Amino acid sequence: MGMRAKHFGLVGVGVLVGVAASFQLSAHAQKAGAPLPLDELRQLADVYGLIKTDYVEPVEDKKLLSEAIGGMVASLDPHSVYLDPKAFRDMREAVQGKFVGVGVEISNEDGYIKVVSPIEDTPAFKAGIKPGDLITRIDNVPVRNMSSDDAIKRMRGKVGSKVTLTIARPGEDKPWVVPIARQEIRVVSVKAKMVEPGYAWLRISQFQENTLDELAKKTKELYAEQPEIKGLVLDLRNDPGGLLPGAIGVSAAFLPQPNQVIVSTRGQVADANQAFYGRREFYAQRGDPLAGLPAGLKSVPMVVLVNGGSASASEIVAGALQDYQRAIVMGSRTFGKGSVQTLRQLSSDTAIKLTTARYYTPKGRPIQATGIEPDLRVDESAEGDLLNALRVREADLQRHLAAEGEKKDTAPRGQNSSLAQQQRALALLKDRKPIEFGGQDDFQLAQAIRHFKGLPVQLAEGVPDADKPAPAPLPGAEQKLPELKAPPKK
């Protein structure tokens, strides 16, 4: 058996060294000239050989290698992931704005699956699942130490089929079990309406392939209904992000100059150090979905609403409009997901989604693990920002990519709220219906309208001069992007 193990080990070394060498040829995968860690590769091959010879039952080579790749990528940060054929297919569907599932955004926390936000008008939302809930079992299978990707796979399925989720809500004695029928989730990317004469509300729930087309359609309808709009609220609350071109295009729709920088990126390889401008070539491959937009969009006074569920692409938009003083950002600090994931296809139906850079606002402010701090901190209700005590942010995630100046640590920071605050929030939220963004009881939206009218805005507790109106936004102020520099060589 020793000879057999040695045989598998040698075969494994050959395969693994060959794979590693192929990666070395790519500038994206490994710095030129860096030596291969042969001792570690031999150890990996030895483990591979031992599993093949000594494990209690046979294991397919494909499964072992697939799991090895998945584990290697997942160990980097919460957003790098190996996409097997099913996950790759699911990702494509999600980008197109449709998939079959329950409709919930999730993250990992302390080995459990935590709800970041239920997607509006989906089975999870209608079942009463709330941000901060912990999913402890899926179809009675414990999720302890299950990856987010695996949890998503288990919640996906055929239309009409049922999945049973066991939910633990902090502060409640017993978990509750809820069966949910899977549906085709078609995320409506853009919603819009006139809140009252002269004041418009435009909501982007997620940045998808069709977001810019929907934005153009909705804004034209708003201006056709009321040509003289005095104030526009761009609602990015609970927007988990999505495609970068969508974020660039949305920002460009409101900025007066097309040559303004929207966002920049910095990473290890040369092509990760880029600046992205509000020009058509940066947000559309064919045609211009923003052609013919109402001219008033470039100068209408704006408020951007954000919260702890606003992440990634929504933070790019909020940061750009804030840096250029094109809009007042209102709400609570955003999620802080300011990293770039690049899709590297491995085969026709597999890929890795790899973190390759960090995002920076036009003024060079980092977004990663810090988020966008609003100009006006306004709670979600007159009673306070209850859900904020329950939300998890990027900096709370294990293995999160460190912010600039942050000591690299695998341990999460922990939420910025005490157990007492969380329990109080849960008690108050227990019988409260989820906030309907854009509805009559939307407190933050009401404060945005008060800001437009020059009336006092009720700011969050602890904010000084709460009765002092904020200054009016200055549209289109030019800003220079700091020179992009490659990271120092190690």
Side-chain angles (χ1 to χ4, degrees):
M1 188 174 72
M3 289 298 293
R4 190 179 175 197
K6 184 178 179 181
H7 169 73
F8 275 112
L10 291 173
V11 170
V13 167
V15 170
L16 292 169
V17 170
V19 171
S22 70
F23 270 104
Q24 191 177 28
L25 295 175
S26 170
H28 298 298
Q30 190 172 5
K31 292 181 180 178
L36 291 170
L38 293 179
D39 288 342
E40 287 77 10
L41 286 172
R42 287 192 183 97
Q43 188 176 51
L44 176 60
D46 287 343
V47 172
Y48 173 84
L50 284 170
I51 293 173
K52 292 295 293 182
T53 58
D54 294 8
Y55 188 63
V56 65
E57 60 185 26
V59 184
E60 292 182 1
D61 292 338
K62 186 176 181 180
K63 173 179 172 58
L64 276 178
L65 293 173
S66 178
E67 294 291 339
I69 294 170
M72 180 168 54
V73 177
S75 70
L76 300 172
D77 66 78
H79 308 294
S80 293
V81 64
Y82 168 65
L83 302 172
D84 64 16
K86 185 178 186 306
F88 192 38
R89 186 170 60 251
D90 290 343
M91 186 209 67
R92 284 175 167 172
E93 291 176 353
V95 166
Q96 293 168 354
K98 62 179 182 179
F99 58 92
V100 177
V102 300
V104 64
E105 299 287 340
I106 61 174
S107 67
N108 278 106
E109 183 178 336
D110 296 330
Y112 288 101
I113 302 299
K114 188 165 188 175
V115 176
V116 174
S117 176
I119 301 172
E120 295 174 57
D121 303 323
T122 62
F125 184 86
K126 294 173 183 177
I129 293 176
K130 297 178 180 180
D133 285 347
L134 292 176
I135 301 174
T136 61
R137 290 174 178 263
I138 301 174
D139 284 334
N140 209 33
V141 176
V143 302
R144 181 70 174 168
N145 296 323
M146 183 183 292
S147 70
S148 297
D149 192 45
D150 286 341
I152 290 170
K153 289 178 185 176
R154 290 179 179 274
M155 287 188 281
R156 297 279 174 91
K158 295 181 179 179
V159 174
S161 63
K162 286 190 176 182
V163 59
T164 301
L165 303 182
T166 303
I167 305 295
R169 186 165 288 169
E172 295 192 0
D173 295 334
K174 296 181 179 179
W176 52 288
V177 178
V178 53
I180 302 177
R182 298 180 178 95
Q183 293 180 6
E184 181 174 272
I185 309 297
R186 288 183 173 270
V187 180
V188 178
S189 182
V190 182
K191 296 180 181 179
K193 69 176 181 179
M194 298 303 300
V195 179
E196 58 179 80
Y199 301 102
W201 172 76
L202 182 72
R203 171 157 177 75
I204 300 177
S205 59
Q206 195 168 338
F207 290 83
Q208 303 166 347
E209 289 180 347
N210 59 351
T211 295
L212 296 183
D213 291 325
E214 292 184 13
L215 175 77
K217 177 183 177 183
K218 294 295 184 182
T219 52
K220 289 174 184 178
E221 290 174 353
L222 286 174
Y223 274 87
E225 180 181 346
Q226 197 158 130
E228 300 298 326
I229 295 178
K230 295 183 287 186
L232 186 146
V233 177
L234 178 60
D235 191 347
L236 301 178
R237 291 172 294 179
N238 285 0
D239 182 332
L243 300 178
L244 176 60
I248 295 171
V250 169
S251 302
F254 299 105
L255 290 172
Q257 301 297 328
N259 62 340
Q260 290 174 299
V261 171
I262 306 299
V263 67
S264 63
T265 61
R266 300 175 200 171
Q268 183 174 198
V269 295
D271 65 358
N273 297 285
Q274 299 186 48
F276 297 84
Y277 295 81
R279 300 194 295 265
R280 184 204 62 79
E281 60 264 32
F282 287 94
Y283 61 76
Q285 293 182 343
R286 295 182 298 274
D288 188 352
L290 303 183
L293 285 180
L297 287 182
K298 301 294 186 181
S299 58
V300 62
M302 288 183 67
V303 166
V304 179
L305 291 179
V306 296
N307 64 7
S310 306
S312 191
S314 57
E315 294 177 286
I316 290 172
V317 174
L321 297 180
Q322 186 181 55
D323 272 9
Y324 288 116
Q325 296 183 291
R326 177 64 187 90
I328 289 291
V329 178
M330 181 183 291
S332 56
R333 184 167 58 88
T334 59
F335 184 82
K337 198 274 184 183
S339 58
V340 183
Q341 279 69 52
T342 303
L343 197 68
R344 305 291 194 200
Q345 200 153 347
L346 302 177
S347 68
S348 60
D349 58 355
T350 63
I352 59 171
K353 190 170 63 173
L354 191 67
T355 299
T356 55
R358 291 178 173 89
Y359 282 124
Y360 296 80
T361 72
K363 282 187 176 180
R365 294 184 294 149
I367 297 173
Q368 175 60 23
T370 58
I372 300 296
E373 187 67 33
D375 301 301
L376 295 176
R377 287 200 290 116
V378 174
D379 287 334
E380 65 171 16
S381 71
E383 292 77 33
D385 208 347
L386 303 177
L387 284 176
N388 236 10
L390 307 175
R391 285 193 175 100
V392 60
R393 287 186 167 85
E394 176 76 12
D396 300 319
L397 302 179
Q398 290 183 332
R399 303 186 309 277
H400 71 271
L401 183 66
E404 277 194 356
E406 180 187 0
K407 185 178 179 181
K408 188 165 181 62
D409 192 352
T410 55
R413 292 181 183 177
Q415 289 180 246
N416 297 319
S417 57
S418 66
L419 179 60
Q421 288 175 312
Q422 293 182 41
Q423 290 175 335
R424 175 179 175 272
L426 286 163
L428 293 172
L429 285 168
K430 188 173 183 180
D431 299 319
R432 179 179 293 184
K433 294 181 179 179
I435 295 172
E436 181 188 351
F437 293 147
Q440 293 182 345
D441 297 327
D442 189 336
F443 177 77
Q444 290 174 322
L445 177 57
Q447 299 308 302
I449 302 302
R450 289 180 66 83
H451 166 73
F452 287 137
K453 296 178 178 179
L455 299 173
V457 173
Q458 183 174 329
L459 301 184
E461 184 179 349
V463 177
D465 301 325
D467 294 330
K468 182 180 179 181
L474 304 174
E478 288 285 348
Q479 301 286 347
K480 289 185 177 179
L481 179 77
E483 182 182 355
L484 296 178
K485 297 180 180 180
K489 294 183 178 179
K490 298 180 180 178

